[in-house]
Amino acid sequence: MTRRFADLAFTPNVCAQQVRHGSRTQYARMQATGGEPDRLGPEETEFLEDADSFYLATVSETGWPYVQHRGGPKGFLTVLSPQRIAFADYRGNLQYVSAGNAVGNDRAALIVMDYVHRSRLKLLGHLHFEDVNEADAELVRKVSPSGYSAKVERIAIIDVAAFDWNCPQHITQRYSRQQVEVMIDSLRAQIASLEQKLEEARRQGSAAS
Ligand SMILES: Cc1cc2nc3c(=O)[nH]c(=O)nc-3n(C[C@H](O)[C@H](O)[C@H](O)COP(=O)(O)O)c2cc1C
């Protein structure tokens, strides 16, 4: 956990819980008030740019948190700089809950999962959306996945405040269909070759009888 993440996540109520459960002394050492936002390093950049989905939480004017899924082809999440990430936001159910929430409160949280390697990255940041027709054309080009049919409506830009890696505990290993297809390709080839050998043996057997 970065000191910045602890600073943002460890509110007075959170600290009170840590005191109650005996972990405050340990966690207080991690906390540093103020200071610069975290910067994404090569490990975070590679992880984020390899993702094909993540969960995005925003905060409404009524104080309710709102979590929504965002997905796309691998690479749809772009790291623009060590402190800025972006993605193309597609036309959906026309509810615009995340977009509306970000107008009133730009605080957002992301959780990005890699089920294959059982790792996850949590990220806090400031989110704003830019209409695709008003955004910088170079930015739109950079964040819009090529060959993906969804209609890009706006660009989501997140200025990173802090991030934290989590341990793999309780993450069930899962593979996407595409990953499974690659894994079973060699098995398919093996089955085809065995079937061919079996067929040849059958033919030789019936010719001999
Ligand atoms: C036709 C259509 C219907 C959808 N219906 C739902 C739905 O009922 N619930 C849902 O969570 N997402 C639904 N989605 C996906 C959301 O529209 C999409 O995740 C969008 O980004 C949600 O943004 P928001 O929750 O920030 O408003 C639908 C998408 C399309 C294209």
Side-chain angles (χ1 to χ4, degrees):
M1 171 173 287
T2 67
R3 293 168 80 81
R4 186 73 181 139
F5 193 94
D7 183 34
L8 297 180
F10 296 172
T11 62
N13 281 336
V14 173
C15 292
Q17 287 294 316
Q18 293 175 359
V19 169
R20 189 174 161 207
H21 297 285
S23 60
R24 181 62 201 151
T25 314
Q26 173 201 339
Y27 279 123
R29 275 186 238 123
M30 287 187 176
Q31 206 165 341
T33 18
E36 289 294 303
D38 285 341
R39 295 173 68 83
L40 302 168
E43 195 185 351
E44 288 79 30
T45 301
E46 190 185 340
F47 184 85
L48 292 169
E49 294 198 330
D50 197 47
D52 60 6
S53 72
F54 63 91
Y55 300 95
L56 170 72
T58 51
V59 188
S60 75
E61 303 99 295
T62 50
W64 284 101
Y66 174 76
V67 186
Q68 184 55 282
H69 170 268
R70 290 292 189 271
K74 265 180 191 282
F76 85 112
L77 198 50
T78 306
V79 176
L80 296 173
S81 79
Q83 289 176 306
R84 182 168 264 203
I85 62 175
F87 64 92
D89 207 26
Y90 308 124
R91 186 179 173 86
N93 57 6
L94 309 182
Q95 291 184 10
Y96 303 107
V97 184
S98 306
N101 283 350
V103 172
N105 186 338
D106 72 354
R107 290 186 184 94
L110 272 72
I111 185 153
V112 189
M113 304 292 305
D114 177 347
Y115 289 101
V116 172
H117 299 102
R118 299 177 66 228
S119 53
R120 63 181 183 242
L121 182 65
K122 291 185 299 196
L123 203 142
L124 297 173
H126 298 280
L127 164 71
H128 75 276
F129 288 90
E130 291 180 10
D131 190 281
V132 72
N133 300 315
E134 291 159 14
D136 174 65
E138 177 57 20
L139 173 68
V140 174
R141 192 200 55 75
K142 206 168 182 178
V143 305
S144 302
S146 58
Y148 196 62
S149 61
K151 181 177 163 44
V152 178
E153 262 193 352
R154 69 201 78 75
I155 308 301
I157 298 163
I158 298 156
D159 290 310
V160 176
F163 63 81
D164 182 32
W165 288 97
N166 281 128
C167 74
Q169 239 182 58
H170 310 300
I171 302 176
T172 306
Q173 204 169 30
R174 294 178 207 281
Y175 293 84
S176 70
R177 184 181 178 134
Q178 207 179 4
Q179 286 161 336
V180 172
E181 294 280 353
V182 172
M183 287 161 73
I184 65 174
D185 257 359
S186 64
L187 295 176
R188 282 189 178 129
Q190 218 177 329
I191 290 168
S193 150
L194 289 171
E195 279 176 345
Q196 200 183 340
K197 281 185 186 147
L198 190 63
E199 186 53 33
E200 279 165 16
R202 265 203 206 110
R203 255 190 262 125
Q204 281 167 8
S206 58
S209 61

